[in-house]
């Protein structure tokens, strides 16, 4: 298996632009997670899905952030409009399920820079 | 929600055994203890998970005392490639999964 696939790997955009990050989970995994990592705040869980349904989005910083999972093999995280403080590495992870015993497999991340 | 505390950084030399201790005084009955490793410019990677006593795999060992208020990740004979950040997490059971917190982790530097 190719593992969790994220695209793009790097994104540089200007403030106010829309940014869309993409994730393809490991085939057969039912749960998908979006994280954000910065030096100041570390690794933060933004939102997670189970069977394509959003379970908890309490980690999403504000209404400018939205996430969708239209099917079991694809998810997007959108920021509109983007701001410089959104600059971070965004990770997508997937697991077989939500139970604690299921390890999460992380993608390589998308490094976002908002100028 | 169980909070974890672990050293910010540690230094070691190649070939030594490294033990990283994590405290989780408020761990709940159904919580698992999980450790992840993160190399620079990569996503975290699962290392080991346990509930009590000792767990060992090809990468590390995890020691958990009877009261489960702490745990120790043991890396035998480290090499330069073990330089990474190590996160201790207390995983709630399925009902409380939305509160998975990575924390600052322990930055391990292995020297030649």
């Amino acid at each position: 298996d190719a593992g969790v696939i994220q695209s793009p790997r790097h994104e540089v955009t200007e403030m106010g632009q829309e940014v869309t990050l993409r994730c393809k989970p490991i085939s057969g995994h039912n749960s998908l997670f979006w994280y954000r990592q910065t030096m100041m705040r570390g690794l933060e869980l933004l939102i997670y899905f189970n069977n394509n349904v959003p379970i908890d989005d309490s980690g999403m910083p504000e209404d400018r952030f939205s996430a969708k999972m239209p099917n079991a093999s694809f998810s997007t995280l959108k920021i509109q409009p983007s701001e410089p403080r959104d600059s971070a590495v965004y990770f997508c992870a997937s697991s077989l399920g939500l139970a604690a015993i299921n390890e999460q497999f992380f993608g390589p991340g998308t490094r976002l820079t908002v100028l | 929600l169980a909070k974890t505390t672990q050293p910010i950084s540690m230094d070691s030399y190649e070939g030594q055994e490294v033990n990283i201790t994590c405290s989780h005084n408020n761990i709940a009955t159904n919580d698992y203890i999980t450790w992840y490793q993160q190399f620079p410019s990569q996503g975290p990677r699962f290392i080991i998970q346990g509930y009590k006593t000792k767990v060992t795999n090809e990468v590390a060992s995890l020691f958990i005392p009877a009261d489960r208020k702490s745990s120790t990740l043991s890396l035998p004979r480290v090499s330069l490639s073990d330089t990474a950040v190590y996160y201790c997490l207390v995983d709630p059971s399925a009902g409380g999964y939305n509160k998975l917190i990575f924390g600052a982790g322990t930055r391990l530097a292995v020297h030649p």
Side-chain angles (χ1 to χ4, degrees):
Chain A
D1 199 317
V4 175
I5 299 173
Q6 291 187 248
S7 65
R9 293 294 309 275
H10 302 274
E11 176 81 24
V12 180
T13 190
E14 293 187 345
M15 182 173 61
Q17 297 297 307
E18 177 180 293
V19 175
T20 299
L21 311 181
R22 297 172 175 79
C23 175
K24 176 179 170 56
I26 292 173
S27 177
H29 282 190
N30 297 321
S31 301
L32 183 140
F33 310 83
W34 281 101
Y35 291 86
R36 176 174 69 174
Q37 187 170 37
T38 62
M39 288 295 292
M40 290 297 293
R41 300 177 66 88
L43 198 60
E44 304 172 278
L45 176 63
L46 301 178
I47 184 172
Y48 65 93
F49 297 81
N50 194 49
N51 294 323
N52 312 335
V53 176
I55 302 300
D56 191 300
D57 64 355
S58 60
M60 296 283 261
E62 40 194 284
D63 292 344
R64 297 184 297 105
F65 286 69
S66 63
K68 294 181 180 179
M69 191 165 187
N71 57 61
S73 59
F74 184 67
S75 176
T76 60
L77 177 68
K78 183 178 294 186
I79 307 172
Q80 167 63 21
S82 59
E83 297 182 3
R85 58 186 168 141
D86 301 330
S87 296
V89 180
Y90 290 81
F91 290 104
C92 174
S94 70
S95 68
L96 286 172
L98 291 180
I101 199 168
N102 295 308
E103 73 174 270
Q104 294 185 33
F105 294 82
F106 283 74
T110 295
R111 182 174 296 277
L112 173 65
T113 302
V114 183
L115 303 174
Chain B
L1 182 64
K3 178 183 176 182
T4 60
T5 302
Q6 51 184 124
I8 295 296
S9 64
M10 294 182 68
D11 288 276
S12 184
Y13 292 91
E14 285 189 292
Q16 290 188 334
E17 178 184 77
V18 171
N19 296 307
I20 306 175
T21 297
C22 177
S23 66
H24 26 78
N25 292 320
N26 297 324
I27 191 168
T29 303
N30 294 330
D31 289 347
Y32 286 84
I33 300 155
T34 309
W35 287 78
Y36 279 78
Q37 173 192 56
Q38 186 177 25
F39 297 114
S41 301
Q42 294 186 26
R45 184 182 72 160
F46 174 91
I47 301 177
I48 198 167
Q49 184 183 73
Y51 183 80
K52 61 180 179 180
T53 62
K54 177 183 176 182
V55 179
T56 297
N57 61 24
E58 65 279 4
V59 176
S61 294
L62 179 59
F63 298 91
I64 306 169
D67 65 6
R68 304 200 328 122
K69 293 184 182 300
S70 67
S71 59
T72 299
L73 174 73
S74 181
L75 305 172
R77 298 180 298 281
V78 295
S79 64
L80 296 177
S81 62
D82 292 315
T83 294
V85 178
Y86 292 83
Y87 298 96
C88 166
L89 293 89
V90 172
D91 279 357
S93 53
Y97 202 89
N98 57 325
K99 297 302 182 184
L100 192 64
I101 299 173
F102 269 78
T106 296
R107 191 171 298 273
L108 173 66
V110 180
H111 306 281

PDB file of all heavy atoms in Angstrom, chain A residues 11-41:
ATOM      1  N   GLU A  11       2.771  24.408  -0.529  1.00  0.00           N
ATOM      2  CA  GLU A  11       1.851  25.388  -1.101  1.00  0.00           C
ATOM      3  C   GLU A  11       2.247  26.755  -0.582  1.00  0.00           C
ATOM      4  O   GLU A  11       2.344  26.959   0.633  1.00  0.00           O
ATOM      5  CB  GLU A  11       0.411  25.061  -0.694  1.00  0.00           C
ATOM      6  CG  GLU A  11      -0.621  26.065  -1.154  1.00  0.00           C
ATOM      7  CD  GLU A  11      -1.038  25.854  -2.590  1.00  0.00           C
ATOM      8  OE1 GLU A  11      -0.896  24.724  -3.080  1.00  0.00           O
ATOM      9  OE2 GLU A  11      -1.502  26.819  -3.217  1.00  0.00           O
ATOM     10  N   VAL A  12       2.453  27.667  -1.513  1.00  0.00           N
ATOM     11  CA  VAL A  12       2.724  29.051  -1.149  1.00  0.00           C
ATOM     12  C   VAL A  12       1.638  29.898  -1.780  1.00  0.00           C
ATOM     13  O   VAL A  12       1.397  29.803  -2.986  1.00  0.00           O
ATOM     14  CB  VAL A  12       4.110  29.515  -1.652  1.00  0.00           C
ATOM     15  CG1 VAL A  12       4.340  30.972  -1.242  1.00  0.00           C
ATOM     16  CG2 VAL A  12       5.216  28.630  -1.088  1.00  0.00           C
ATOM     17  N   THR A  13       0.985  30.693  -0.984  1.00  0.00           N
ATOM     18  CA  THR A  13      -0.107  31.500  -1.487  1.00  0.00           C
ATOM     19  C   THR A  13      -0.099  32.865  -0.823  1.00  0.00           C
ATOM     20  O   THR A  13       0.653  33.091   0.137  1.00  0.00           O
ATOM     21  CB  THR A  13      -1.452  30.791  -1.244  1.00  0.00           C
ATOM     22  OG1 THR A  13      -2.493  31.481  -1.934  1.00  0.00           O
ATOM     23  CG2 THR A  13      -1.780  30.776   0.242  1.00  0.00           C
ATOM     24  N   GLU A  14      -0.912  33.730  -1.326  1.00  0.00           N
ATOM     25  CA  GLU A  14      -0.996  35.071  -0.746  1.00  0.00           C
ATOM     26  C   GLU A  14      -2.233  35.189   0.139  1.00  0.00           C
ATOM     27  O   GLU A  14      -3.257  34.533  -0.105  1.00  0.00           O
ATOM     28  CB  GLU A  14      -1.025  36.113  -1.859  1.00  0.00           C
ATOM     29  CG  GLU A  14       0.279  36.187  -2.637  1.00  0.00           C
ATOM     30  CD  GLU A  14       0.301  37.346  -3.621  1.00  0.00           C
ATOM     31  OE1 GLU A  14      -0.769  37.903  -3.901  1.00  0.00           O
ATOM     32  OE2 GLU A  14       1.404  37.680  -4.103  1.00  0.00           O
ATOM     33  N   MET A  15      -2.122  36.027   1.096  1.00  0.00           N
ATOM     34  CA  MET A  15      -3.229  36.265   2.020  1.00  0.00           C
ATOM     35  C   MET A  15      -4.509  36.565   1.239  1.00  0.00           C
ATOM     36  O   MET A  15      -4.488  37.323   0.269  1.00  0.00           O
ATOM     37  CB  MET A  15      -2.886  37.442   2.928  1.00  0.00           C
ATOM     38  CG  MET A  15      -3.935  37.757   3.970  1.00  0.00           C
ATOM     39  SD  MET A  15      -3.377  39.028   5.117  1.00  0.00           S
ATOM     40  CE  MET A  15      -3.124  40.401   4.002  1.00  0.00           C
ATOM     41  N   GLY A  16      -5.594  35.936   1.678  1.00  0.00           N
ATOM     42  CA  GLY A  16      -6.878  36.160   1.044  1.00  0.00           C
ATOM     43  C   GLY A  16      -7.251  35.117   0.017  1.00  0.00           C
ATOM     44  O   GLY A  16      -8.428  35.013  -0.359  1.00  0.00           O
ATOM     45  N   GLN A  17      -6.283  34.340  -0.416  1.00  0.00           N
ATOM     46  CA  GLN A  17      -6.559  33.314  -1.416  1.00  0.00           C
ATOM     47  C   GLN A  17      -7.157  32.074  -0.761  1.00  0.00           C
ATOM     48  O   GLN A  17      -6.957  31.800   0.425  1.00  0.00           O
ATOM     49  CB  GLN A  17      -5.277  32.932  -2.159  1.00  0.00           C
ATOM     50  CG  GLN A  17      -4.672  34.069  -2.957  1.00  0.00           C
ATOM     51  CD  GLN A  17      -5.606  34.528  -4.055  1.00  0.00           C
ATOM     52  OE1 GLN A  17      -6.079  33.739  -4.870  1.00  0.00           O
ATOM     53  NE2 GLN A  17      -5.885  35.824  -4.077  1.00  0.00           N
ATOM     54  N   GLU A  18      -7.860  31.306  -1.573  1.00  0.00           N
ATOM     55  CA  GLU A  18      -8.403  30.030  -1.097  1.00  0.00           C
ATOM     56  C   GLU A  18      -7.347  28.947  -1.253  1.00  0.00           C
ATOM     57  O   GLU A  18      -6.644  28.882  -2.266  1.00  0.00           O
ATOM     58  CB  GLU A  18      -9.646  29.665  -1.904  1.00  0.00           C
ATOM     59  CG  GLU A  18     -10.240  28.313  -1.543  1.00  0.00           C
ATOM     60  CD  GLU A  18     -11.475  27.994  -2.372  1.00  0.00           C
ATOM     61  OE1 GLU A  18     -12.496  28.682  -2.207  1.00  0.00           O
ATOM     62  OE2 GLU A  18     -11.396  27.050  -3.184  1.00  0.00           O
ATOM     63  N   VAL A  19      -7.253  28.100  -0.248  1.00  0.00           N
ATOM     64  CA  VAL A  19      -6.297  26.991  -0.267  1.00  0.00           C
ATOM     65  C   VAL A  19      -7.051  25.688  -0.059  1.00  0.00           C
ATOM     66  O   VAL A  19      -7.899  25.589   0.844  1.00  0.00           O
ATOM     67  CB  VAL A  19      -5.244  27.149   0.852  1.00  0.00           C
ATOM     68  CG1 VAL A  19      -4.341  25.935   0.907  1.00  0.00           C
ATOM     69  CG2 VAL A  19      -4.429  28.424   0.643  1.00  0.00           C
ATOM     70  N   THR A  20      -6.760  24.697  -0.853  1.00  0.00           N
ATOM     71  CA  THR A  20      -7.380  23.377  -0.695  1.00  0.00           C
ATOM     72  C   THR A  20      -6.300  22.313  -0.572  1.00  0.00           C
ATOM     73  O   THR A  20      -5.468  22.165  -1.470  1.00  0.00           O
ATOM     74  CB  THR A  20      -8.298  23.034  -1.877  1.00  0.00           C
ATOM     75  OG1 THR A  20      -9.347  24.005  -1.950  1.00  0.00           O
ATOM     76  CG2 THR A  20      -8.929  21.656  -1.668  1.00  0.00           C
ATOM     77  N   LEU A  21      -6.333  21.611   0.544  1.00  0.00           N
ATOM     78  CA  LEU A  21      -5.401  20.520   0.785  1.00  0.00           C
ATOM     79  C   LEU A  21      -6.153  19.207   0.589  1.00  0.00           C
ATOM     80  O   LEU A  21      -7.308  19.084   0.991  1.00  0.00           O
ATOM     81  CB  LEU A  21      -4.837  20.610   2.209  1.00  0.00           C
ATOM     82  CG  LEU A  21      -4.301  21.986   2.629  1.00  0.00           C
ATOM     83  CD1 LEU A  21      -3.751  21.928   4.051  1.00  0.00           C
ATOM     84  CD2 LEU A  21      -3.265  22.495   1.664  1.00  0.00           C
ATOM     85  N   ARG A  22      -5.454  18.221   0.042  1.00  0.00           N
ATOM     86  CA  ARG A  22      -6.105  16.960  -0.312  1.00  0.00           C
ATOM     87  C   ARG A  22      -5.457  15.783   0.386  1.00  0.00           C
ATOM     88  O   ARG A  22      -4.251  15.797   0.654  1.00  0.00           O
ATOM     89  CB  ARG A  22      -6.070  16.764  -1.824  1.00  0.00           C
ATOM     90  CG  ARG A  22      -6.832  17.832  -2.580  1.00  0.00           C
ATOM     91  CD  ARG A  22      -6.639  17.749  -4.068  1.00  0.00           C
ATOM     92  NE  ARG A  22      -7.475  18.710  -4.776  1.00  0.00           N
ATOM     93  CZ  ARG A  22      -7.187  20.009  -4.902  1.00  0.00           C
ATOM     94  NH1 ARG A  22      -6.072  20.489  -4.383  1.00  0.00           N
ATOM     95  NH2 ARG A  22      -8.004  20.806  -5.562  1.00  0.00           N
ATOM     96  N   CYS A  23      -6.269  14.776   0.634  1.00  0.00           N
ATOM     97  CA  CYS A  23      -5.780  13.595   1.334  1.00  0.00           C
ATOM     98  C   CYS A  23      -6.472  12.349   0.810  1.00  0.00           C
ATOM     99  O   CYS A  23      -7.691  12.316   0.638  1.00  0.00           O
ATOM    100  CB  CYS A  23      -6.024  13.714   2.841  1.00  0.00           C
ATOM    101  SG  CYS A  23      -5.576  12.240   3.790  1.00  0.00           S
ATOM    102  N   LYS A  24      -5.677  11.321   0.582  1.00  0.00           N
ATOM    103  CA  LYS A  24      -6.200   9.999   0.234  1.00  0.00           C
ATOM    104  C   LYS A  24      -5.776   9.041   1.337  1.00  0.00           C
ATOM    105  O   LYS A  24      -4.593   8.762   1.496  1.00  0.00           O
ATOM    106  CB  LYS A  24      -5.647   9.537  -1.108  1.00  0.00           C
ATOM    107  CG  LYS A  24      -6.072   8.127  -1.499  1.00  0.00           C
ATOM    108  CD  LYS A  24      -5.497   7.743  -2.864  1.00  0.00           C
ATOM    109  CE  LYS A  24      -5.711   6.256  -3.164  1.00  0.00           C
ATOM    110  NZ  LYS A  24      -7.137   5.879  -3.090  1.00  0.00           N
ATOM    111  N   PRO A  25      -6.732   8.529   2.110  1.00  0.00           N
ATOM    112  CA  PRO A  25      -6.365   7.625   3.217  1.00  0.00           C
ATOM    113  C   PRO A  25      -5.966   6.246   2.707  1.00  0.00           C
ATOM    114  O   PRO A  25      -6.140   5.935   1.531  1.00  0.00           O
ATOM    115  CB  PRO A  25      -7.651   7.556   4.040  1.00  0.00           C
ATOM    116  CG  PRO A  25      -8.742   7.774   3.037  1.00  0.00           C
ATOM    117  CD  PRO A  25      -8.173   8.744   2.034  1.00  0.00           C
ATOM    118  N   ILE A  26      -5.464   5.436   3.586  1.00  0.00           N
ATOM    119  CA  ILE A  26      -5.126   4.056   3.249  1.00  0.00           C
ATOM    120  C   ILE A  26      -6.419   3.291   2.982  1.00  0.00           C
ATOM    121  O   ILE A  26      -7.400   3.436   3.731  1.00  0.00           O
ATOM    122  CB  ILE A  26      -4.323   3.395   4.384  1.00  0.00           C
ATOM    123  CG1 ILE A  26      -2.942   4.054   4.490  1.00  0.00           C
ATOM    124  CG2 ILE A  26      -4.182   1.898   4.180  1.00  0.00           C
ATOM    125  CD1 ILE A  26      -2.128   3.610   5.672  1.00  0.00           C
ATOM    126  N   SER A  27      -6.422   2.524   1.912  1.00  0.00           N
ATOM    127  CA  SER A  27      -7.608   1.772   1.537  1.00  0.00           C
ATOM    128  C   SER A  27      -8.044   0.849   2.673  1.00  0.00           C
ATOM    129  O   SER A  27      -7.219   0.135   3.265  1.00  0.00           O
ATOM    130  CB  SER A  27      -7.312   0.942   0.282  1.00  0.00           C
ATOM    131  OG  SER A  27      -8.419   0.149  -0.062  1.00  0.00           O
ATOM    132  N   GLY A  28      -9.332   0.902   2.990  1.00  0.00           N
ATOM    133  CA  GLY A  28      -9.855   0.052   4.054  1.00  0.00           C
ATOM    134  C   GLY A  28      -9.921   0.729   5.406  1.00  0.00           C
ATOM    135  O   GLY A  28     -10.538   0.204   6.333  1.00  0.00           O
ATOM    136  N   HIS A  29      -9.286   1.877   5.536  1.00  0.00           N
ATOM    137  CA  HIS A  29      -9.347   2.614   6.794  1.00  0.00           C
ATOM    138  C   HIS A  29     -10.647   3.402   6.861  1.00  0.00           C
ATOM    139  O   HIS A  29     -11.044   4.056   5.891  1.00  0.00           O
ATOM    140  CB  HIS A  29      -8.158   3.557   6.927  1.00  0.00           C
ATOM    141  CG  HIS A  29      -6.905   2.860   7.329  1.00  0.00           C
ATOM    142  ND1 HIS A  29      -5.751   3.546   7.703  1.00  0.00           N
ATOM    143  CD2 HIS A  29      -6.616   1.544   7.453  1.00  0.00           C
ATOM    144  CE1 HIS A  29      -4.818   2.660   8.030  1.00  0.00           C
ATOM    145  NE2 HIS A  29      -5.304   1.445   7.874  1.00  0.00           N
ATOM    146  N   ASN A  30     -11.297   3.349   8.023  1.00  0.00           N
ATOM    147  CA  ASN A  30     -12.594   3.991   8.163  1.00  0.00           C
ATOM    148  C   ASN A  30     -12.539   5.368   8.812  1.00  0.00           C
ATOM    149  O   ASN A  30     -13.518   6.100   8.792  1.00  0.00           O
ATOM    150  CB  ASN A  30     -13.525   3.103   9.000  1.00  0.00           C
ATOM    151  CG  ASN A  30     -13.807   1.784   8.325  1.00  0.00           C
ATOM    152  OD1 ASN A  30     -13.972   1.722   7.116  1.00  0.00           O
ATOM    153  ND2 ASN A  30     -13.865   0.719   9.106  1.00  0.00           N
ATOM    154  N   SER A  31     -11.401   5.684   9.418  1.00  0.00           N
ATOM    155  CA  SER A  31     -11.299   6.958  10.136  1.00  0.00           C
ATOM    156  C   SER A  31     -10.203   7.827   9.528  1.00  0.00           C
ATOM    157  O   SER A  31      -9.140   7.336   9.146  1.00  0.00           O
ATOM    158  CB  SER A  31     -10.984   6.704  11.618  1.00  0.00           C
ATOM    159  OG  SER A  31     -11.987   5.903  12.210  1.00  0.00           O
ATOM    160  N   LEU A  32     -10.482   9.111   9.462  1.00  0.00           N
ATOM    161  CA  LEU A  32      -9.535  10.058   8.870  1.00  0.00           C
ATOM    162  C   LEU A  32      -9.426  11.277   9.753  1.00  0.00           C
ATOM    163  O   LEU A  32     -10.442  11.768  10.278  1.00  0.00           O
ATOM    164  CB  LEU A  32      -9.982  10.466   7.452  1.00  0.00           C
ATOM    165  CG  LEU A  32      -9.039  11.403   6.692  1.00  0.00           C
ATOM    166  CD1 LEU A  32      -8.950  10.988   5.236  1.00  0.00           C
ATOM    167  CD2 LEU A  32      -9.461  12.848   6.823  1.00  0.00           C
ATOM    168  N   PHE A  33      -8.199  11.766   9.918  1.00  0.00           N
ATOM    169  CA  PHE A  33      -7.921  12.876  10.825  1.00  0.00           C
ATOM    170  C   PHE A  33      -7.126  13.957  10.094  1.00  0.00           C
ATOM    171  O   PHE A  33      -6.253  13.659   9.286  1.00  0.00           O
ATOM    172  CB  PHE A  33      -7.086  12.389  12.021  1.00  0.00           C
ATOM    173  CG  PHE A  33      -7.625  11.173  12.698  1.00  0.00           C
ATOM    174  CD1 PHE A  33      -7.365   9.899  12.212  1.00  0.00           C
ATOM    175  CD2 PHE A  33      -8.397  11.289  13.846  1.00  0.00           C
ATOM    176  CE1 PHE A  33      -7.873   8.768  12.829  1.00  0.00           C
ATOM    177  CE2 PHE A  33      -8.905  10.166  14.481  1.00  0.00           C
ATOM    178  CZ  PHE A  33      -8.643   8.903  13.970  1.00  0.00           C
ATOM    179  N   TRP A  34      -7.421  15.199  10.415  1.00  0.00           N
ATOM    180  CA  TRP A  34      -6.616  16.325   9.938  1.00  0.00           C
ATOM    181  C   TRP A  34      -5.964  17.000  11.150  1.00  0.00           C
ATOM    182  O   TRP A  34      -6.640  17.321  12.134  1.00  0.00           O
ATOM    183  CB  TRP A  34      -7.479  17.353   9.210  1.00  0.00           C
ATOM    184  CG  TRP A  34      -7.839  16.995   7.806  1.00  0.00           C
ATOM    185  CD1 TRP A  34      -9.019  16.486   7.351  1.00  0.00           C
ATOM    186  CD2 TRP A  34      -7.013  17.155   6.644  1.00  0.00           C
ATOM    187  NE1 TRP A  34      -8.980  16.301   5.994  1.00  0.00           N
ATOM    188  CE2 TRP A  34      -7.758  16.707   5.536  1.00  0.00           C
ATOM    189  CE3 TRP A  34      -5.713  17.627   6.431  1.00  0.00           C
ATOM    190  CZ2 TRP A  34      -7.262  16.714   4.226  1.00  0.00           C
ATOM    191  CZ3 TRP A  34      -5.216  17.630   5.147  1.00  0.00           C
ATOM    192  CH2 TRP A  34      -5.975  17.181   4.055  1.00  0.00           C
ATOM    193  N   TYR A  35      -4.645  17.203  11.036  1.00  0.00           N
ATOM    194  CA  TYR A  35      -3.869  17.858  12.076  1.00  0.00           C
ATOM    195  C   TYR A  35      -3.145  19.065  11.499  1.00  0.00           C
ATOM    196  O   TYR A  35      -2.876  19.140  10.306  1.00  0.00           O
ATOM    197  CB  TYR A  35      -2.792  16.919  12.651  1.00  0.00           C
ATOM    198  CG  TYR A  35      -3.276  15.753  13.465  1.00  0.00           C
ATOM    199  CD1 TYR A  35      -3.630  14.556  12.847  1.00  0.00           C
ATOM    200  CD2 TYR A  35      -3.361  15.828  14.853  1.00  0.00           C
ATOM    201  CE1 TYR A  35      -4.042  13.465  13.598  1.00  0.00           C
ATOM    202  CE2 TYR A  35      -3.770  14.749  15.605  1.00  0.00           C
ATOM    203  CZ  TYR A  35      -4.116  13.567  14.976  1.00  0.00           C
ATOM    204  OH  TYR A  35      -4.529  12.489  15.721  1.00  0.00           O
ATOM    205  N   ARG A  36      -2.788  19.984  12.386  1.00  0.00           N
ATOM    206  CA  ARG A  36      -1.957  21.115  12.005  1.00  0.00           C
ATOM    207  C   ARG A  36      -0.780  21.168  12.976  1.00  0.00           C
ATOM    208  O   ARG A  36      -0.960  21.006  14.198  1.00  0.00           O
ATOM    209  CB  ARG A  36      -2.764  22.411  12.082  1.00  0.00           C
ATOM    210  CG  ARG A  36      -1.964  23.664  11.791  1.00  0.00           C
ATOM    211  CD  ARG A  36      -2.857  24.883  11.751  1.00  0.00           C
ATOM    212  NE  ARG A  36      -3.406  25.249  13.051  1.00  0.00           N
ATOM    213  CZ  ARG A  36      -4.118  26.358  13.250  1.00  0.00           C
ATOM    214  NH1 ARG A  36      -4.373  27.160  12.248  1.00  0.00           N
ATOM    215  NH2 ARG A  36      -4.588  26.621  14.453  1.00  0.00           N
ATOM    216  N   GLN A  37       0.414  21.422  12.451  1.00  0.00           N
ATOM    217  CA  GLN A  37       1.594  21.492  13.318  1.00  0.00           C
ATOM    218  C   GLN A  37       2.343  22.801  13.106  1.00  0.00           C
ATOM    219  O   GLN A  37       2.695  23.151  11.986  1.00  0.00           O
ATOM    220  CB  GLN A  37       2.541  20.315  13.075  1.00  0.00           C
ATOM    221  CG  GLN A  37       3.701  20.245  14.050  1.00  0.00           C
ATOM    222  CD  GLN A  37       4.483  18.952  13.957  1.00  0.00           C
ATOM    223  OE1 GLN A  37       4.672  18.401  12.879  1.00  0.00           O
ATOM    224  NE2 GLN A  37       4.933  18.427  15.101  1.00  0.00           N
ATOM    225  N   THR A  38       2.573  23.511  14.199  1.00  0.00           N
ATOM    226  CA  THR A  38       3.397  24.715  14.190  1.00  0.00           C
ATOM    227  C   THR A  38       4.381  24.637  15.347  1.00  0.00           C
ATOM    228  O   THR A  38       4.200  23.855  16.284  1.00  0.00           O
ATOM    229  CB  THR A  38       2.541  25.989  14.352  1.00  0.00           C
ATOM    230  OG1 THR A  38       1.876  25.929  15.637  1.00  0.00           O
ATOM    231  CG2 THR A  38       1.502  26.116  13.261  1.00  0.00           C
ATOM    232  N   MET A  39       5.392  25.449  15.276  1.00  0.00           N
ATOM    233  CA  MET A  39       6.382  25.462  16.358  1.00  0.00           C
ATOM    234  C   MET A  39       5.735  25.928  17.658  1.00  0.00           C
ATOM    235  O   MET A  39       6.029  25.410  18.730  1.00  0.00           O
ATOM    236  CB  MET A  39       7.537  26.389  15.992  1.00  0.00           C
ATOM    237  CG  MET A  39       8.452  25.844  14.904  1.00  0.00           C
ATOM    238  SD  MET A  39       9.314  24.373  15.438  1.00  0.00           S
ATOM    239  CE  MET A  39      10.385  25.069  16.692  1.00  0.00           C
ATOM    240  N   MET A  40       4.855  26.891  17.550  1.00  0.00           N
ATOM    241  CA  MET A  40       4.269  27.482  18.757  1.00  0.00           C
ATOM    242  C   MET A  40       3.243  26.569  19.419  1.00  0.00           C
ATOM    243  O   MET A  40       3.183  26.479  20.642  1.00  0.00           O
ATOM    244  CB  MET A  40       3.613  28.811  18.402  1.00  0.00           C
ATOM    245  CG  MET A  40       4.595  29.904  18.041  1.00  0.00           C
ATOM    246  SD  MET A  40       5.678  30.314  19.418  1.00  0.00           S
ATOM    247  CE  MET A  40       4.500  31.024  20.562  1.00  0.00           C
ATOM    248  N   ARG A  41       2.437  25.895  18.635  1.00  0.00           N
ATOM    249  CA  ARG A  41       1.301  25.159  19.175  1.00  0.00           C
ATOM    250  C   ARG A  41       1.447  23.647  19.084  1.00  0.00           C
ATOM    251  O   ARG A  41       0.586  22.909  19.592  1.00  0.00           O
ATOM    252  CB  ARG A  41       0.025  25.596  18.478  1.00  0.00           C
ATOM    253  CG  ARG A  41      -0.280  27.093  18.632  1.00  0.00           C
ATOM    254  CD  ARG A  41      -1.527  27.481  17.866  1.00  0.00           C
ATOM    255  NE  ARG A  41      -2.711  26.851  18.412  1.00  0.00           N
ATOM    256  CZ  ARG A  41      -3.456  27.365  19.396  1.00  0.00           C
ATOM    257  NH1 ARG A  41      -3.128  28.529  19.919  1.00  0.00           N
ATOM    258  NH2 ARG A  41      -4.517  26.729  19.837  1.00  0.00           N
TER     259      ARG A  41
END
